[in-house]
Amino acid sequence: MPKISVERTVTQTKKAVLGGLLHYNNEKMGKQKYKRFAISLRQGDKIVGGIVGEVWTAVLFIQLFWMEQKFRNKGFGAKLIKAIEDEARRFGATRSYLDTMSFQAPGFYRANGYKEFGSIEGYPGGVTRHWFTKSL
């Protein structure tokens, strides 16, 4: 009989779950394109900002986006968004999505053409998590 166990390190289970999920998805949808990539903002050799995403099938998921405070509100964020969207298009993406917290950048994403499609309230400090999408 199978048993449930709680694990403090996820490597082995994550690998098994991801492998099983990919196999199942391929059975249902056929072999899918997948590409993970990052775009960086550099000052000399130092990374002062960046964006990390992945394209699965035809959709870009922007996973992580950060920039040092002194480089914000100078147009670099919009350039990074454009760069990752352009790279995703080259890979065949036709849509993008992401999530952000209310204290992070919902206004920035709206200004860059993203539309909110959902939110969850109830995070500590009155914070709300927002999901955005954009046609590429």
Side-chain angles (χ1 to χ4, degrees):
M1 175 110 183
K3 68 176 186 168
I4 295 174
S5 64
V6 175
E7 300 168 23
R8 301 290 179 229
T9 56
V10 299
T11 305
Q12 186 178 7
T13 299
K14 182 179 177 180
K15 186 177 180 180
V17 170
L18 183 57
L21 185 58
L22 290 173
H23 179 76
Y24 179 78
N25 289 348
N26 288 340
E27 283 180 351
K28 299 298 180 189
M29 299 173 63
K31 183 79 172 154
Q32 299 297 305
K33 296 186 299 183
Y34 177 81
K35 181 179 181 185
R36 183 179 297 161
F37 50 95
I39 309 290
S40 64
L41 177 65
R42 294 174 180 260
Q43 186 171 50
D45 290 337
K46 183 180 179 192
I47 295 174
V48 296
I51 188 166
V52 177
E54 63 184 24
V55 174
W56 178 61
T57 67
V59 179
L60 165 65
F61 172 47
I62 296 175
Q63 297 172 308
L64 304 167
F65 190 8
W66 164 83
M67 188 178 313
E68 282 187 13
Q69 188 68 40
K70 67 183 176 181
F71 295 100
R72 296 178 188 178
N73 299 308
K74 295 182 176 166
F76 295 115
K79 289 178 182 176
L80 286 171
I81 285 284
K82 182 180 181 328
I84 200 165
E85 290 172 351
D86 288 347
E87 180 65 18
R89 280 186 199 96
R90 281 190 281 282
F91 196 68
T94 58
R95 178 154 295 282
S96 176
Y97 81 101
L98 58 92
D99 67 276
T100 189
M101 304 304 257
S102 55
F103 66 89
Q104 292 173 328
F108 168 80
Y109 293 114
R110 286 184 189 101
N112 282 277
Y114 283 79
K115 306 289 184 215
E116 186 168 350
F117 68 90
S119 64
I120 297 176
E121 298 176 346
Y123 285 84
V127 172
T128 300
R129 189 172 190 172
H130 302 270
W131 277 268
F132 288 88
T133 188
K134 178 181 178 180
S135 177
L136 298 178

